[in-house]
Amino acid sequence: MHFTAQLARQHRAALHAEAADDRLAAEVRPAADLRTRVGWTLVELGLRLVSAPHPAAALAH
């Protein structure tokens, strides 16, 4: 086999492997979206807890 043909086959195999890695990475991305939504939900919950009137503060007045 000629050297250039062998090099072209290896390059093609590397491109196929890179494409497979990109497909796998695309499947993982929705998990990051879920993580972001859960994070913001926890922030909103924390803000609600902080802004809610506390029974001890009501008794101190």
Side-chain angles (χ1 to χ4, degrees):
M1 183 178 272
H2 292 288
F3 176 72
T4 55
Q6 185 178 7
L7 186 60
R9 285 182 68 188
Q10 289 176 351
H11 182 67
R12 187 177 67 204
L15 288 176
H16 282 292
E18 187 177 341
D21 290 345
D22 288 344
R23 279 192 298 273
L24 289 174
E27 292 175 4
V28 175
R29 285 187 194 119
D33 294 337
L34 176 63
R35 201 170 30 236
T36 301
R37 286 191 315 210
V38 170
W40 280 113
T41 301
L42 290 173
V43 168
E44 290 177 8
L45 178 63
L47 289 173
R48 287 181 187 172
L49 290 173
V50 168
S51 64
H54 298 288
L59 292 175
H61 289 270

